[in-house]
Amino acid sequence: MKYLAFATGMLAATTAIAETPVLTVYTYDSFVSDWGPGPSVEKAFEAQCGCDLKLVGAGDGAALLARLKLEGARSDADVVLGLDTNLVAAARETGLFSDHSVTAEYTLPIDWSDSQFVPFDWGYFAFVKAAELEAPTNFKDLADSDLKIVIQDPRSSTPGLGLLLWVKEAYGDEAKSVWEGLADNVVTVTKGWSEAYGLFLDGEADMVLSYTTSPAYHLIAEEDASKAAAAFDEGHYMQIEVAGKLAASDQQDLADQFLAFMVTDDFQAIIPTTNWMYPAVTPKEGLPKGFETLITPEKSLLVSPEKADMVRDAALAEWLDALSQ
């Protein structure tokens, strides 16, 4: 009788586990890190979905799209979180994404309307430095300086791609010569943001490509005001990060539920002090204390997804040629 009761209990437990739906979300590595948004997002969503949220780190942002193209409709992902507007057109061209039904009162700096991609945060790219360092105020002056910088590869990293388009949008036909000037400032090019920022913190470079919001981490989490973002007078390029569901997913309803959850306070309130970005929908309690100290670019730069897709290859060729000399 004891064996029968034990076997019945095990069967019931196994059945319950088997019936728990799993939602697989591909995202970038820093999102799923212990200090990133992933653990809190997982806990908050699972509390209301009756599911198992499986967050899978797949390199940096641009690497997500490369992996998705490789896997195609056979991908295990139900949702991809961590693309940005520079990759939206290329992602749409794959035909792998389906429409969403999310509506929200976004507090983005631009109007947002996209049938397939839902924004979850945004920010401005910037070079982060020691607060006391007198940094150049534009790319040309940076190229003329002896300062050493760490940047990310635009083929695998969304910040790296953002930098590429930042220089291209600011300088147009002069972009190649700007990169030629910057070549001897670049200590190394990393695959992703985490590696680059780690090298900066280890003292391997004077500045690192990151975000205007990055100093908030040191100020709020570490009570350390020793880091700042350098303000550039030619403007700062904006990044808007998005998520979308895959058409081949067998968890369409759950994917829709997750995308809708992304624009609620339960998700958006997590973003500022874990992803260290601005939320796409400002939480009811506003931004954490410390964000008011961040620099606000006098000029915002952003190209449409279509233009980003059009100029990316040419800009990449200029970058590769300049840095290989």
Side-chain angles (χ1 to χ4, degrees), residues 141-276:
D141 287 348
L142 175 58
D144 290 338
S145 76
D146 294 327
L147 294 174
K148 298 303 179 183
I149 62 175
V150 179
I151 62 175
Q152 298 89 41
D153 194 323
R155 294 164 294 186
S156 58
S157 164
T158 51
L161 179 56
L163 176 61
L164 205 66
L165 295 175
W166 182 3
V167 173
K168 191 66 175 175
E169 183 67 5
Y171 290 100
D173 292 340
E174 289 186 80
K176 185 177 179 180
S177 65
V178 170
W179 277 117
E180 289 171 348
L182 288 169
D184 61 356
N185 299 93
V186 177
V187 174
T188 190
V189 179
T190 65
K191 285 187 176 181
W193 174 88
S194 296
E195 182 185 355
Y197 207 82
L199 290 172
F200 164 68
L201 293 179
D202 288 340
E204 298 297 323
D206 300 299
M207 301 199 296
V208 60
L209 175 64
S210 192
Y211 298 87
T212 61
T213 45
S214 296
Y217 163 75
H218 302 284
L219 185 63
I220 297 171
E222 300 179 333
E223 298 183 351
D224 176 6
S226 67
K227 304 295 186 294
F232 274 24
D233 53 27
E234 69 262 84
H236 289 253
Y237 198 85
M238 186 190 307
Q239 180 184 49
I240 299 174
E241 295 192 296
V242 302
K245 66 173 181 174
L246 297 189
S249 167
D250 59 1
Q251 296 289 349
Q252 291 291 314
D253 290 343
L254 199 53
D256 283 334
Q257 187 179 343
F258 181 79
L259 293 178
F261 165 75
M262 278 196 338
V263 298
T264 67
D265 253 29
D266 286 342
F267 182 104
Q268 292 290 298
I270 293 171
I271 291 298
T273 55
T274 55
N275 223 30
W276 303 100

Side-chain angles (χ1 to χ4, degrees), residues 21-305:
V22 177
L23 184 73
T24 301
V25 177
Y26 282 5
T27 185
Y28 44 82
D29 289 343
S30 62
F31 195 94
V32 301
S33 65
D34 291 340
W35 46 266
S40 296
V41 167
E42 184 176 4
K43 181 179 179 181
F45 186 61
E46 288 183 346
Q48 59 181 260
C49 73
C51 70
D52 177 15
L53 178 60
K54 184 179 179 182
L55 296 170
V56 179
D60 213 342
L64 289 171
L65 185 56
R67 176 168 175 174
L68 198 61
K69 286 180 176 180
L70 183 64
E71 295 178 350
R74 297 174 287 104
S75 177
D76 291 332
D78 301 297
V79 172
V80 174
L81 181 155
L83 305 177
D84 66 10
T85 50
N86 296 327
L87 295 170
V88 160
R92 203 187 317 278
E93 288 170 4
T94 66
L96 296 172
F97 291 88
S98 60
D99 290 352
H100 66 79
S101 57
V102 176
T103 57
E105 293 185 10
Y106 297 115
T107 50
L108 299 167
I110 63 170
D111 292 332
W112 184 269
S113 178
D114 193 291
S115 63
Q116 292 187 332
F117 297 99
V118 180
F120 64 91
D121 69 12
W122 67 280
Y124 293 103
F125 294 117
F127 283 95
V128 173
K129 63 183 182 69
E132 70 274 10
L133 178 68
E134 291 189 15
T137 58
N138 57 63
F139 283 106
K140 289 184 176 180
D141 287 348
L142 175 58
D144 290 338
S145 76
D146 294 327
L147 294 174
K148 298 303 179 183
I149 62 175
V150 179
I151 62 175
Q152 298 89 41
D153 194 323
R155 294 164 294 186
S156 58
S157 164
T158 51
L161 179 56
L163 176 61
L164 205 66
L165 295 175
W166 182 3
V167 173
K168 191 66 175 175
E169 183 67 5
Y171 290 100
D173 292 340
E174 289 186 80
K176 185 177 179 180
S177 65
V178 170
W179 277 117
E180 289 171 348
L182 288 169
D184 61 356
N185 299 93
V186 177
V187 174
T188 190
V189 179
T190 65
K191 285 187 176 181
W193 174 88
S194 296
E195 182 185 355
Y197 207 82
L199 290 172
F200 164 68
L201 293 179
D202 288 340
E204 298 297 323
D206 300 299
M207 301 199 296
V208 60
L209 175 64
S210 192
Y211 298 87
T212 61
T213 45
S214 296
Y217 163 75
H218 302 284
L219 185 63
I220 297 171
E222 300 179 333
E223 298 183 351
D224 176 6
S226 67
K227 304 295 186 294
F232 274 24
D233 53 27
E234 69 262 84
H236 289 253
Y237 198 85
M238 186 190 307
Q239 180 184 49
I240 299 174
E241 295 192 296
V242 302
K245 66 173 181 174
L246 297 189
S249 167
D250 59 1
Q251 296 289 349
Q252 291 291 314
D253 290 343
L254 199 53
D256 283 334
Q257 187 179 343
F258 181 79
L259 293 178
F261 165 75
M262 278 196 338
V263 298
T264 67
D265 253 29
D266 286 342
F267 182 104
Q268 292 290 298
I270 293 171
I271 291 298
T273 55
T274 55
N275 223 30
W276 303 100
M277 296 279 278
Y278 293 108
V281 180
T282 302
K284 293 175 183 177
E285 295 188 2
L287 295 172
K289 184 179 179 181
F291 270 69
E292 77 281 357
T293 67
L294 304 175
I295 67 167
T296 301
E298 294 185 6
K299 182 180 181 181
S300 298
L301 302 175
L302 182 68
V303 300
S304 68

